[in-house]
Amino acid sequence: MIIGTVDCFPTKSTLSKLSINNSQNATGHWNSKIQFGHRTVNKQGSPLDFKLEQAIVSGERDDFVLITANFTVPPRSTLPVDYELIPGVGYYKLHKEPQDWHTARVICNKEGAHLAIINSHFELSVIKMLYNRDPKLHDFSYVGISDLQKHKTFVTIFDEPLNATGYTNWAPDQPNYDGNCVVVKRDGQLFDTQCNGRFPFFCEQTLGK
């Protein structure tokens, strides 16, 4: 026996649909079914961040079980389709064709992204995941860090000091200041190197930017 149904249909300008269905079966049990649909941005779809919380709320006469679901829908991206969305972090791509640091930076910018900046060990795990898909690829890749503006002072491409990024895992004896641009090794260690060296490189677009 269906008691009530509510459908919230999107307009052409929105992407989401919410459906709530309340019913009572033959044994008297109540069932509530809630469906949340989100139109995909492209054929690959867009993963959602999802958090579910449950609590008991006391009213004047009865107690209620309150269930709160929070969906975070990533924004539409104008990036090429080969960028991979990591929910809650951003879009990433490992360019396998080696380039010098300056060319790599230009390529990322042209794609609407920027040379990747590692801000946490979780983000490093994303870098490693992309790396590990191709074990034959060069063990070093460019990231968005250099000391081109001031020798021995490494900053990001946004002029943020390296020690403010949240990740400064230099390899032993690094930096040795023999180079002005930074690469990340497959194991996550950072090295400085000559900017005209040709390496693969990571591009990213952070969510919300």
Side-chain angles (χ1 to χ4, degrees), residues 58-78:
S58 297
E60 293 183 2
R61 299 180 59 185
D62 299 294
D63 290 341
F64 297 89
V65 176
L66 178 64
I67 298 176
T68 303
N70 181 47
F71 297 90
T72 302
V73 181
R76 284 191 171 192
S77 174
T78 57

Side-chain angles (χ1 to χ4, degrees), residues 79 83 89-93 108 112-119 123 202-206:
L79 294 169
Y83 273 76
V89 187
Y91 293 85
Y92 293 83
K93 178 180 178 179
C108 290
H114 59 80
L115 274 173
I117 300 167
I118 304 172
N119 294 110
E123 192 167 9
F202 286 96
C203 298
E204 73 165 310
Q205 185 189 77
T206 306

Side-chain angles (χ1 to χ4, degrees), residues 42-58:
N42 51 47
K43 296 296 183 181
Q44 296 177 340
S46 297
L48 307 181
D49 280 341
F50 172 75
K51 183 178 181 181
L52 186 66
E53 296 178 345
Q54 179 175 309
I56 297 178
V57 179
S58 297

Side-chain angles (χ1 to χ4, degrees), residues 93-101 104 108 115 131 134 136-143 182-184 186 197-203:
K93 178 180 178 179
L94 171 57
H95 280 267
K96 299 179 181 181
E97 184 67 30
Q99 303 289 348
D100 63 77
W101 189 87
C108 290
L115 274 173
Y131 234 145
D134 193 342
K136 295 183 179 180
L137 192 65
H138 198 291
D139 280 342
F140 295 89
S141 291
Y142 279 126
V143 290
V182 174
V183 290
V184 60
R186 188 182 293 270
R198 295 173 63 85
F199 297 98
F201 56 99
F202 286 96
C203 298

